């Protein structure tokens, strides 16, 4: 005779399965997120992969006390905001963050402990990236347009922190990218980067689109007029191109 099996729900699995034990530093992070950032119980349970009852016990201080906090756990709690900022500066990578903490503070934090501590920061960083990626795609015909811009990043070169500027060009139709690194972003670097992109792509676009970088602009303060400077205008005329600069903050 067939036996009826009672269906299980996610709540049943939390009750019957092995319970996840949260260490002291993780519970402190949960309380901070709830009190300082206003995160709800359901959201915290989802972020830390535990039941809502576990989160409630953490917030009500009824969680069973474990052994005394380790020096590393106490250090992470004490430097919460500083480590959060350092995590963003390391672009969400815990291994270089672990190395930096060891160099600056002489604390050797375990990688798994650091990853658990940074779990809420990782989600916030992911949400920020998702917001940035919601840009509207601007379509052009082949050969119509090449967009140019600069980015920058501090790198350790020869045991010395050096700021590197990256010239980046992108074709409007194919989205192909060319990039080249410089130690500055003066006019000469701009023009060399643009010309290098021409050689790399094997041709010229009809239009160059840039932002309002000072290295490319000339300002007439009396007439309150901003135009391209003489060097960039000569470059454009030499190649027979059309140049466009985007609006400030609303390209």
């Amino acid at each position: 005779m067939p036996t009826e099996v009672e269906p299980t729900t996610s709540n049943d699995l939390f009750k019957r399965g092995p319970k996840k034990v949260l260490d002291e530093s993780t519970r402190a992070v949960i309380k901070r997120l709830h009190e300082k950032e206003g995160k709800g119980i359901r959201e915290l349970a989802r972020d830390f992969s535990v039941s809502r009852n576990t989160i409630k016990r953490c917030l009500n201080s009824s969680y069973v006390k474990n052994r005394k906090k380790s020096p590393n756990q106490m250090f992470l709690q004490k430097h919460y905001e500083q480590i959060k900022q350092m995590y963003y500066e390391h672009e969400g990578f815990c291994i270089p963050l672990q190395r930096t903490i060891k160099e600056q503070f002489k604390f050797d934090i375990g990688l798994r402990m650091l990853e658990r501590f940074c779990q809420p920061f990782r989600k916030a960083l992911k949400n920020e990236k998702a917001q940035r990626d919601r840009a509207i795609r601007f379509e052009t015909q082949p050969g119509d347009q090449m967009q140019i811009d600069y980015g920058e990043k501090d790198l350790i070169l020869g045991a010395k922190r050096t700021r590197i500027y990256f010239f980046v060009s992108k074709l409007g139709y194919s989205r192909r990218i060319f990039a080249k690194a410089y130690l500055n972003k003066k006019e000469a670097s701009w023009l060399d980067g643009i010309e290098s992109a021409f050689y790399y792509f094997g041709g010229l676009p009809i239009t160059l689109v840039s932002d309002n970088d000072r290295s490319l602009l000339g300002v007439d303060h009396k007439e309150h007029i901003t135009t391209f400077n003489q060097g960039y205008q000569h470059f454009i005329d030499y190649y027979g191109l059309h140049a466009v600069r985007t609006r400030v903050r609303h390209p």
Side-chain angles (χ1 to χ4, degrees):
M1 182 176 180
T3 2
E4 293 185 0
V5 179
E6 184 180 352
T8 59
T9 65
S10 57
N11 290 333
D12 293 330
L13 293 176
F14 273 125
K15 292 176 183 178
R16 300 175 186 177
K19 293 185 177 179
K20 184 175 179 179
V21 178
L22 302 178
D23 56 32
E24 188 73 20
S25 62
T26 305
R27 297 201 300 273
V29 171
I30 290 173
K31 289 181 180 179
R32 184 186 294 269
L33 291 173
H34 179 71
E35 295 171 0
K36 298 277 182 74
E37 301 186 16
K39 289 204 172 187
I41 293 175
R42 186 186 297 273
E43 186 179 4
L44 290 169
R46 184 172 59 251
D47 290 347
F48 289 88
S49 302
V50 296
S51 69
R52 281 175 283 174
N53 287 337
T54 301
I55 299 297
K56 290 178 182 177
R57 290 202 305 274
C58 287
L59 300 178
N60 294 333
S61 301
S62 59
Y63 204 92
V64 179
K65 291 185 178 180
N66 290 332
R67 59 185 180 180
K68 189 178 178 180
K69 290 183 290 186
S70 68
N72 286 353
Q73 291 171 335
M74 295 173 65
F75 168 82
L76 290 174
Q77 292 178 28
K78 182 178 179 181
H79 297 83
Y80 178 90
E81 294 296 338
Q82 190 172 0
I83 292 174
K84 179 180 179 180
Q85 181 63 33
M86 292 169 63
Y87 179 80
Y88 291 148
E89 291 174 356
H90 286 78
E91 301 178 354
F93 294 101
C94 283
I95 293 179
L97 173 60
Q98 180 191 36
R99 185 165 56 245
T100 302
I101 292 174
K102 186 175 181 179
E103 291 172 355
Q104 292 187 9
F105 300 98
K106 311 303 179 187
F107 267 85
D108 191 5
I109 308 293
L111 182 59
R112 291 300 302 158
M113 176 185 289
L114 188 60
E115 287 176 342
R116 287 195 302 268
F117 184 81
C118 295
Q119 190 174 7
F121 313 151
R122 185 181 298 112
K123 184 181 178 184
L125 203 62
K126 187 177 179 181
N127 290 339
E128 289 176 8
K129 185 178 183 302
Q131 290 294 333
R132 290 195 304 267
D133 291 343
R134 289 181 181 177
I136 299 173
R137 186 180 176 99
F138 181 74
E139 300 291 352
T140 64
Q141 294 301 312
D144 272 2
Q145 187 185 100
M146 186 171 83
Q147 302 163 12
I148 55 176
D149 202 354
Y150 260 91
E152 59 186 60
K153 186 173 180 64
D154 289 340
L155 301 177
I156 304 299
L157 301 178
K160 181 181 178 183
R161 185 177 294 275
T162 306
R163 178 157 295 183
I164 302 297
Y165 297 90
F166 295 94
F167 169 83
V168 181
S169 61
K170 178 184 286 189
L171 297 181
Y173 177 77
S174 65
R175 290 331 197 239
R176 288 183 64 194
I177 291 178
F178 168 80
K180 191 172 182 179
Y182 296 91
L183 292 175
N184 59 65
K185 59 172 185 175
K186 297 179 180 178
E187 181 188 276
S189 300
W190 273 97
L191 301 185
D192 181 77
I194 298 169
E195 202 165 45
S196 299
F198 293 164
Y199 283 104
Y200 176 78
F201 292 129
L204 303 177
I206 297 174
T207 305
L208 282 178
V209 181
S210 68
D211 61 6
N212 289 266
D213 193 278
R214 293 182 179 180
S215 299
L216 302 179
L217 300 180
V219 182
D220 187 335
H221 295 285
K222 291 183 179 179
E223 300 293 334
H224 301 287
I225 297 174
T226 303
T227 58
F228 295 125
N229 61 32
Q230 186 175 357
Y232 186 47
Q233 189 63 53
H234 176 75
F235 181 88
I236 294 166
D237 295 339
Y238 176 81
Y239 281 104
L241 304 176
H242 176 61
V244 175
R245 55 190 179 92
T246 59
R247 292 181 301 167
V248 178
R249 298 184 182 176
H250 299 283

